[in-house]
């Protein structure tokens, strides 16, 4: 069996993955995006930049992460399940891989200040962390409703020295924070770098963030080669919010016969239920009504309630190279408990979406007995304990 010939390794020079991606920004932001694009290409080709990033990822942030065989759960399910442990990264998830890359790039570009959007606060915390590490001022835009719901992460960001700016427009959540951060960037491009939290936004962000996250897939590919007799797994699965941990994971396996599965939250499933549209500077699948009004997604996992999805995933879906499925909140909570008791790992509610799909796919036969499954555990569950306590 061979994989279908899809080349998602690079978008076109203007950032299109097929019909998706591109750059839909005000005229005043075009030079800023061009400058990020040029700087990223130069940095990514520069061994000195790569080795400095590598040094920080290993000496500070916790790379490489292990590929853990889930022995007991595998035995229960009759498959071989391998977990790529991004939950062990500094600040608790894969987000730091991307943020450290972008913060180093900002510094190389001579910028002194980072801005970011955040929903639940995880990307804000990661950006505040990178800002503190590199001595850069950090401002995080966050919807007022999210500020009220995520007091702990707001306090984390402030402890790290970041300024948290409340956003009072729209539904006062993530999409509004993103809009506001882009608006602010227009007025501050001279000294300010916008650090996007996922494979979203205008070109070059979706491609650049994927490249910063591909360390997950590249590491996992090598680890799977050593762990599996066949060399590559039959199935590779990751949860999809904006799509960065999945894109980084898939990047390591696109040229293998592995089936690639992205798991969305039932209430935030832009790929499964969305339509073509433009949001925050790029074209992709978007949750919107027939008038183009953006929907407010709902998921028990705060990191999965973005109303759009990275353009590369829309492209991979159209070409059948990756398949996107949904699971519901009930399955997700059950998956957290099942993994915790079988393996001693309390994963994030986001990551539990991937686990939940595997549990279901084994019973429906979509994952056959004896199959090998590599699953990216994007984050740890500490942040979700209050949510789980309310349910028990
Ligand atoms: C933010 C987050 C996600 C969703 O983001 P992606 O860009 O889709 O990876 C998933 N898992 C965790 C733990 C997160 O914090």
């Amino acid at each position: 069996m061979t994989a279908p010939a899809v080349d998602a390794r690079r978008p076109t020079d203007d950032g299109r993955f097929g019909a998706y991606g591109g750059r839909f920004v005000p005229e005043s932001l075009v030079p800023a995006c061009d400058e990020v694009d040029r700087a990223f290409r130069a940095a990514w080709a520069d061994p000195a930049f790569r080795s400095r990033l590598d040094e920080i990822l290993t000496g500070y942030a916790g790379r490489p992460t292990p590929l853990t065989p889930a022995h007991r759960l595998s035995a229960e399910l009759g498959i071989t399940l391998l977990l790529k442990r991004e939950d062990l990264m500094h600040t608790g998830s894969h987000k730091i891989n991307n943020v450290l890359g972008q913060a180093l790039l900002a510094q190389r570009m001579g910028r002194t200040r980072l801005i970011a959007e955040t929903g639940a606060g995880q990307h804000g915390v990661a950006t505040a962390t990178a800002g503190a590490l590199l001595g850069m001022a950090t401002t995080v835009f966050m919807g007022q409703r999210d500020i009220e719901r995520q007091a702990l992460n707001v306090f984390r960001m402030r402890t790290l020295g970041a300024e948290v700016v409340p956003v009072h427009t729209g539904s006062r959540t993530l999409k509004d924070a993103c809009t506001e951060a882009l608006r602010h960037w227009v007025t501050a491009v001279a000294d300010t770098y916008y650090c996007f939290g996922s494979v979203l936004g205008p070109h070059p962000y979706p491609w650049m963030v994927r490249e910063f996250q591909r360390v997950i897939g590249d590491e996992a590919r090598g680890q799977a080669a050593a762990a599996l007799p066949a060399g590559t797994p039959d199935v590779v699965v990751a949860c999809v919010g904006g799509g960065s941990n999945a894109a980084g994971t898939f990047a390591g396996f696109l040229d293998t016969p592995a089936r690639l599965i992205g798991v969305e939250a039932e209430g935030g499933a832009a790929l499964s239920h969305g339509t073509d549209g433009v949001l925050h500077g790029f074209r992709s699948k978007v949750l919107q009504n027939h008038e183009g009004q953006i929907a407010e997604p709902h998921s028990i996992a705060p990191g999965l309630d973005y109303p759009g999805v990275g353009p590369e995933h829309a492209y991979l879906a159209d070409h059948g190279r990756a398949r996107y499925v949904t699971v519901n909140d009930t399955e997700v909570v059950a998956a957290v408990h099942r993994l915790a008791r079988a393996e001693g790992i309390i994963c994030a509610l986001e990551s539990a979406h991937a686990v939940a799909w595997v549990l279901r796919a084994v019973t429906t036969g979509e994952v056959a007995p004896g199959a090998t499954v590599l699953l990216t555990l994007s984050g740890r569950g500490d942040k979700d304990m209050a949510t789980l306590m309310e349910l028990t």
Side-chain angles (χ1 to χ4, degrees):
M1 193 175 96
T2 54
V6 169
D7 188 0
R9 274 168 289 184
R10 270 194 97 125
T12 58
D13 280 346
D14 56 350
R16 280 175 296 113
F17 293 90
Y20 310 104
R23 187 188 283 163
F24 299 82
V25 293
E27 203 57 47
S28 49
L29 273 187
V30 170
C33 291
D34 275 338
E35 196 189 348
V36 173
D37 186 26
R38 274 194 308 274
F40 173 66
R41 281 171 205 269
W44 212 223
D46 178 358
F49 179 86
R50 300 283 284 246
S51 72
R52 171 105 173 92
L53 177 57
D54 231 46
E55 225 173 78
I56 298 179
L57 286 173
T58 56
Y60 173 76
R63 301 223 73 85
T65 59
L67 186 68
T68 302
H71 289 298
R72 297 185 60 222
L73 192 54
S74 292
E76 288 172 23
L77 300 175
I79 61 173
T80 298
L81 177 63
L82 303 171
L83 304 173
K84 182 59 177 159
R85 301 291 307 284
E86 297 302 298
D87 59 311
L88 295 177
M89 288 300 287
H90 182 45
T91 69
S93 82
H94 68 291
K95 285 194 169 73
I96 197 84
N97 300 323
N98 163 47
V99 162
L100 288 172
Q102 288 198 59
L104 267 191
L105 182 69
Q107 204 171 51
R108 181 183 161 109
M109 292 169 70
R111 300 295 193 270
T112 54
R113 179 165 172 261
L114 299 172
I115 59 170
E117 81 293 342
T118 200
Q122 296 299 106
H123 175 57
V125 169
T127 307
T129 299
L133 178 72
L134 299 181
M136 301 175 83
T138 305
T139 302
V140 179
F141 292 83
M142 189 168 186
Q144 178 60 34
R145 255 186 82 203
D146 288 334
I147 287 181
E148 286 157 18
R149 291 188 293 191
Q150 307 289 343
L152 190 58
N153 274 341
V154 173
F155 189 67
R156 275 198 187 105
M157 288 182 257
R158 291 185 171 144
T159 301
L160 289 158
E163 177 195 14
V164 180
V165 176
V167 173
H168 297 282
T169 49
S171 52
R172 294 165 291 136
T173 58
L174 175 59
K175 72 172 165 48
D176 313 294
C178 202
T179 303
E180 201 51 43
L182 271 170
R183 208 174 277 159
H184 175 82
W185 196 29
V186 176
T187 70
V189 280
D191 67 345
T192 299
Y193 179 93
Y194 187 168
C195 181
F196 259 94
S198 189
V199 285
L200 308 168
H203 177 64
Y205 285 96
W207 167 56
M208 175 171 68
V209 174
R210 194 278 310 275
E211 288 300 286
F212 284 137
Q213 291 292 2
R214 71 175 303 135
V215 65
I216 305 172
D218 288 344
E219 265 177 30
R221 172 82 175 265
Q223 292 166 320
L228 299 172
T232 54
D234 300 317
V235 182
V236 172
V237 54
C239 67
V240 174
S244 68
N245 86 88
T249 303
F250 292 175
F253 296 93
L254 277 176
D255 63 347
T256 75
R259 280 163 59 202
L260 308 177
I261 307 286
V263 188
E264 297 186 290
E266 180 54 37
L271 282 160
S272 302
H273 305 319
T275 50
D276 289 14
V278 171
L279 181 66
H280 299 139
F282 66 105
R283 179 182 292 282
S284 189
K285 297 291 183 193
V286 177
L287 291 172
Q288 56 192 339
N289 67 17
H290 56 276
E291 286 160 348
Q293 285 233 304
I294 304 304
E296 185 68 21
H298 295 285
S299 165
I300 194 173
L304 301 188
D305 53 13
Y306 182 73
V309 65
E312 184 175 350
H313 290 295
Y315 176 78
L316 291 173
D318 273 7
H319 287 76
R321 178 59 191 101
R323 196 157 72 80
Y324 297 87
V325 296
T326 67
V327 295
N328 65 42
D329 289 353
T330 308
E331 293 175 282
V332 166
V333 172
V336 170
H337 286 115
R338 183 94 186 256
L339 183 70
R341 284 164 193 220
E343 301 296 335
I345 298 170
I346 301 177
C347 72
L349 286 167
E350 291 84 358
S351 324
H353 283 66
V355 179
W357 179 79
V358 172
L359 297 179
R360 188 210 289 160
V362 164
T363 65
T364 60
E366 281 173 277
V367 168
T372 53
V373 178
L374 187 147
L375 183 156
T376 294
L377 221 49
S378 56
R380 66 173 184 237
D382 306 39
K383 68 182 178 60
D384 301 315
M385 287 302 99
T387 305
L388 288 178
M389 272 167 70
E390 277 171 26
L391 293 173
T392 44

